[in-house]
């Protein structure tokens, strides 16, 4: 399966169905299943962003205290999504929720990789790479709904 490394906390925001667009500098032609891998680092502003989101959306994010999103495994494959489309951020920025805007870089000239059908998997270690890379399908096990 094609895989994408995403900075740790952002990857977990995807896995927990909080983030539906991965914003990047480059457009991409690929569409289809995509394995999301949490990079080995968290972005520096992650704690501050999650704190602000929790204060703004306590009903939607009360589970963050329970799961400890900042303590989730890094350097692991964590979710399978469908990359449904890739569009210039300018074409969708007026349609985005406050939460989605907080979880991406919607600066002019960037692209939103639109993610659907998000499913968490049993995490397993992956050495991330730049761009899309391949991971053997047999390693991927979808988590049972809880």
């Amino acid at each position: 399966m094609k895989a994408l490394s995403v900075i740790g906390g952002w990857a977990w925001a995807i896995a927990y169905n909080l983030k539906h667009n991965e914003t990047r500098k480059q457009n991409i032609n690929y569409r289809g299943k995509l394995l999301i891998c949490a990079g080995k680092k968290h972005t520096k502003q992650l704690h501050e962003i999650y704190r602000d989101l929790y204060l703004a959306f306590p009903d939607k994010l009360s589970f963050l205290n329970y799961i400890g999103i900042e303590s989730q495994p890094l350097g692991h494959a964590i979710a399978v999504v469908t990359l449904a489309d890739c569009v210039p951020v300018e074409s969708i920025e007026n349609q985005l929720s406050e939460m989605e805007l907080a979880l991406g870089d919607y600066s002019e000239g960037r692209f939103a990789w639109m993610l659907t059908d998000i499913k968490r998997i049993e995490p397993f270690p992956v050495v991330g790479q730049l761009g899309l890379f391949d991971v053997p399908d047999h390693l991927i096990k979808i988590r049972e709904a809880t």
Side-chain angles (χ1 to χ4, degrees):
M1 181 178 294
K2 294 290 181 200
L4 178 69
S5 291
V6 177
I7 292 174
W10 303 136
W12 281 101
I14 293 168
Y16 280 103
N17 211 13
L18 301 174
K19 178 176 168 66
H20 301 97
N21 296 311
E22 172 59 13
T23 54
R24 299 273 167 140
K25 290 180 183 177
Q26 66 275 15
N27 194 353
I28 189 168
N29 292 322
Y30 175 79
R31 303 292 184 270
K33 295 291 183 193
L34 188 61
L35 182 67
I36 300 296
C37 302
K40 288 191 174 187
K41 295 181 182 176
H42 281 305
T43 183
K44 291 178 183 174
Q45 75 264 29
L46 178 70
H47 178 74
E48 191 174 300
I49 288 169
Y50 279 143
R51 183 200 67 222
D52 292 347
L53 286 174
Y54 180 77
L55 293 172
F57 306 101
D59 55 325
K60 292 184 181 179
L61 301 179
S62 60
F63 73 95
L64 285 178
N65 285 337
Y66 173 72
I67 63 169
I69 203 159
E70 292 177 284
S71 64
Q72 297 297 312
L74 300 178
H76 283 67
I78 61 170
V80 172
V81 302
T82 298
L83 177 54
D85 206 354
C86 182
V87 298
V89 296
E90 296 86 1
S91 69
I92 63 166
E93 63 188 347
N94 293 333
Q95 305 164 23
L96 299 172
S97 69
E98 187 178 341
M99 185 182 308
E100 195 72 47
L101 286 168
L103 293 171
D105 179 354
Y106 290 89
S107 304
E108 185 176 336
R110 295 179 63 86
F111 293 89
W113 296 21
M114 302 175 85
L115 310 175
T116 62
D117 195 27
I118 299 166
K119 293 184 175 76
R120 288 181 40 218
I121 64 168
E122 294 298 330
F124 62 91
V126 171
V127 176
Q129 299 176 34
L130 294 176
L132 296 184
F133 58 98
D134 292 310
V135 172
D137 289 353
H138 74 274
L139 298 174
I140 303 165
K141 297 184 180 28
I142 303 293
R143 289 185 82 159
E144 296 296 320
T146 55

